[in-house]
Amino acid sequence: FTLAMTLFFTRQVLQLCGRQDSVQARIAEEYQVCHDNGFVFFESHALFAQAEALLRRGEADSARPLLAQGLQILAASGGRLSMDVPFRNLAEAFLDVGLTTEAREWLARGFELVNNHNQRCLESEFWRLQGRLALAQGNAAAAEADFRTAVEVARRQAARSLELRAVMQLAELLRQQGHKAAIAEWVAPVYRQFQEGFDTADLAKAATWVAECDLQA
């Protein structure tokens, strides 16, 4: 069980850091350890991770049976522990491949955890992704409101990494609307509070934006 948990948390850290290539190599082992030892609830986490990987490769038809299997295990076990992570990841993956109906379904599952089970660690992310969904549907005003809510939630929780994601999403939208100072106003102050993690995906992207902004100043 300790090995299963180690694999489980290592994968989650890698996902949060945006290191998808490293994630792929670990999912199969995580699933096998859970499956072979009867850790069915955490097996569902591994199934969702496998499905997400397939989605990101454009293999939605192969992902859906794994999602159905994972949901069946959840229904049988009644477990919800840390499900905000796969629900968030799957909503994003469906958004990334343009499957907005299914993205909305996974976002609804995420908000159900937030609103009814007080699982708020990724609340900011659910608001940010809801904003992305609104953008995909052509509603920029709703998207901006959702992004601002994501920022507010992250700040209230002192969740600096999630705040960075939210301000980057908001600044990108504002910049598209002609607000040239959006990066300097929103992204740079948050980015400059970090003292480590500069090789992670979000910080690397933010560094590029802030450097470009400084050059134009």
Side-chain angles (χ1 to χ4, degrees):
F1 189 76
T2 300
L3 175 59
M5 290 297 89
T6 300
L7 293 166
F8 168 73
F9 285 115
T10 298
R11 172 179 56 79
Q12 288 197 346
V13 169
L14 290 169
Q15 286 175 317
L16 289 168
C17 291
R19 294 173 177 166
Q20 293 298 332
D21 292 341
S22 299
V23 168
Q24 305 309 316
R26 296 175 182 270
I27 294 173
E29 183 182 4
E30 177 187 348
Y31 172 80
Q32 205 61 52
V33 170
C34 293
H35 180 75
D36 291 348
N37 291 280
F39 306 144
V40 292
F41 176 65
F42 289 100
E43 181 180 342
S44 70
H45 276 274
L47 285 167
F48 289 140
Q50 288 178 328
E52 181 197 349
L54 289 168
L55 283 170
R56 293 189 180 282
R57 295 201 298 265
E59 301 176 36
D61 289 341
S62 298
R64 291 188 181 99
L66 298 180
L67 295 175
Q69 186 181 352
L71 289 172
Q72 186 177 22
I73 291 173
L74 282 187
S77 69
R80 293 186 176 88
L81 182 66
S82 299
M83 276 297 152
D84 52 347
V85 175
F87 290 178
R88 173 248 174 249
N89 292 347
L90 288 163
E92 181 182 61
F94 275 115
L95 277 171
D96 287 346
V97 297
L99 297 172
T100 55
T101 298
E102 286 161 297
R104 185 184 301 108
E105 292 172 0
W106 289 95
L107 274 176
R109 291 184 175 99
F111 277 115
E112 195 272 337
L113 292 177
V114 170
N115 296 324
N116 298 327
H117 300 282
N118 205 32
Q119 291 194 34
R120 299 186 177 275
C121 288
L122 294 179
E123 181 180 359
S124 173
E125 282 288 88
F126 290 124
W127 283 107
R128 183 180 69 82
L129 293 174
Q130 182 165 283
R132 281 192 56 190
L133 179 62
L135 265 187
Q137 297 171 331
N139 192 338
E144 181 178 342
D146 289 336
F147 294 154
R148 289 181 182 275
T149 300
V151 174
E152 291 169 6
V153 169
R155 287 179 175 172
R156 185 168 67 246
Q157 296 179 340
R160 187 66 44 73
S161 293
L162 302 187
E163 181 186 357
L164 180 65
R165 285 186 180 178
V167 296
M168 289 177 70
Q169 199 85 67
L170 176 61
E172 186 174 23
L173 175 60
L174 293 175
R175 191 165 55 166
Q176 290 170 357
Q177 295 173 340
H179 300 280
K180 296 181 180 179
I183 292 174
E185 180 180 352
W186 289 95
V187 179
V190 178
Y191 171 76
R192 291 185 174 124
Q193 294 179 61
F194 284 85
Q195 297 180 348
E196 62 179 356
F198 295 104
D199 59 338
T200 60
D202 292 334
L203 279 169
K205 184 176 181 180
T208 300
W209 285 16
V210 171
E212 292 173 354
C213 177
D214 290 343
L215 286 173
Q216 295 169 3

